Amino acid sequence: MKARLDGSITPEEEAVLQEWAESDPQHRALLDLLDESADQLPLLGHLYDYDEFRVWRNIRKEARRRRFREMVRESRKYAAVAAVLLFAGYGVWRWIDDRSREEACRAYIEQVAPGVRGAVLTLSSGERVDLEQGGEWTLVEQDGTRIEVAGEEVAYHDAAPEEEEIPAWNTVSVPRGKEFSLQLSDGTKVWLNSASSLRFPVRFGEGPREVVVTGEAFFDVAKDADRQFIVHADTVAVAVYGTAFNIAAYEDETDVETTLLRGSVEVTSGRRKVMLEPGQQARVGRSGAIFDVRQVPAEEYAAWTRGVFAFQEEPLSSICRKLSRWYDIEILPSGFDADQVRYTGEIRRYETFAEMVRLLERTNQIRIDVQDGRILLCIDRDDG
């Protein structure tokens, strides 16, 4: 190696050196480095006095530094390519994932069906009768009252009074995803919304005609000047003689709402009471903090009995609760404060939920997502 440095190397020695260089890439790198450093020979000689070991050691050190720099340059180049491929792959994966999620969401929504007519009748004996089976049959209560079941309709008919009257009460319970209607023994017609129930005597006596409701019900009360009709709902009592009104008293709502369509009713809660005129609505808070009356489009509050959802400046959170009861699936608001965004409009109740979604998305404010079997109505809007 010293002969190579000072130029006195023979052809035979050069051949041996080249053979040595070709035997290993590192040998070749060292020899190339030696050639590149030829102009520094005087300096090397001065510093190391041609100490072969020290020169060789420093050449090897420099070679390692150069190889490291080259490896860094190469690694950066390949890292850049890898990064491009990684982000491109991530973008494709996200696109595929988003498409898959959207398709899965749509498929889930497509299978959500609207509510149907149906209920469960609980007789005074405790016997439960499914009112979805169709067909026609007649039941006879303990006091002799005939209960005629015709498909999805139930009607009560007074029998001849017995010498000793046996009080008998029935309950019609309507689960989520269903609705039902019936006619009481006095001729009063009642429509029950989803997740609602009505408890009533199978035959009214000589005193007031009293019933108990949970959830939402619409009453078309048969006139009877001698017997007042009283509906009990939570902390509210609604007294009428002959009228039509809607009452909503769901447990997951903060207020009990009584909306009068025709006639007159008296709404009582504790020591407070008010007489309503057609087109008025009384709101009574369960906590007692609210007791007020306002003018409303009363027919819209009974639109559900005609197969229509009618929303009047209604917050999305309330809309979600109504849709949840009817479609029997958990539907939740998400995004912007759901109590601040309000909607007005009408949608047919018997539309599939997929059609309901398409109508809601036309507002350009609501998008639909599905998470853990729950449907989210997400509000996306720019208030800026």
Side-chain angles (χ1 to χ4, degrees), residues 22-94:
E22 297 299 331
S23 67
D24 189 296
Q26 293 187 8
H27 296 171
R28 168 54 63 187
L30 288 172
L31 187 58
D32 291 344
L33 179 61
L34 184 65
D35 290 338
E36 293 173 5
S37 305
D39 57 343
Q40 298 181 18
L41 288 179
L43 179 60
L44 288 171
H46 175 72
L47 291 175
Y48 303 116
D49 194 24
Y50 288 106
D51 183 333
E52 185 175 354
F53 173 76
R54 294 178 66 186
V55 171
W56 187 250
R57 183 186 62 188
N58 282 275
I59 289 174
R60 284 174 60 87
K61 186 184 297 183
E62 178 63 20
R64 284 196 297 270
R65 284 198 294 267
R66 291 196 177 195
R67 284 201 306 274
F68 178 75
R69 288 195 295 269
E70 290 175 359
M71 288 173 61
V72 169
R73 286 196 297 269
E74 290 296 311
S75 64
R76 285 175 178 173
K77 178 177 67 176
Y78 290 121
V81 174
V84 170
L85 293 176
L86 176 63
F87 282 111
Y90 178 74
V92 172
W93 175 81
R94 282 297 304 272

Side-chain angles (χ1 to χ4, degrees), residues 340-359:
Q340 301 301 319
V341 181
R342 297 176 179 271
Y343 296 92
T344 297
E346 292 189 358
I347 303 175
R348 291 190 296 275
R349 268 165 71 92
Y350 284 95
E351 294 285 4
T352 64
F353 188 70
E355 180 60 25
M356 181 75 70
V357 165
R358 284 188 280 272
L359 293 172

Side-chain angles (χ1 to χ4, degrees), residues 309-320:
F309 280 113
F311 305 126
Q312 295 292 325
E313 286 295 310
E314 192 150 0
L316 185 62
S317 55
S318 175
I319 293 175
C320 285

Side-chain angles (χ1 to χ4, degrees), residues 85-130:
L85 293 176
L86 176 63
F87 282 111
Y90 178 74
V92 172
W93 175 81
R94 282 297 304 272
W95 179 78
I96 294 174
D97 185 60
D98 290 345
R99 286 291 301 271
S100 298
R101 274 186 54 80
E102 182 179 351
E103 290 175 2
C105 176
R106 293 294 171 181
Y108 185 83
I109 287 171
E110 287 289 344
Q111 55 87 36
V112 178
V116 297
R117 289 186 59 79
V120 174
L121 169 64
T122 303
L123 303 176
S124 59
S125 63
E127 179 185 356
R128 293 166 62 87
V129 180
D130 188 351

Side-chain angles (χ1 to χ4, degrees), residues 123-182:
L123 303 176
S124 59
S125 63
E127 179 185 356
R128 293 166 62 87
V129 180
D130 188 351
L131 300 178
E132 302 174 7
Q133 298 174 353
E136 298 183 8
W137 69 93
T138 301
L139 303 172
V140 180
E141 260 291 2
Q142 298 179 48
D143 66 349
T145 300
R146 290 182 301 110
I147 307 173
E148 293 185 354
V149 180
E152 300 158 353
E153 298 289 338
V154 173
Y156 285 74
H157 302 281
D158 278 345
E162 298 180 356
E163 293 182 1
E164 183 179 354
E165 184 173 324
I166 303 174
W169 287 70
N170 283 184
T171 301
V172 171
S173 304
V174 182
R176 286 162 56 102
K178 294 181 181 177
E179 64 179 1
F180 200 75
S181 59
L182 67 154

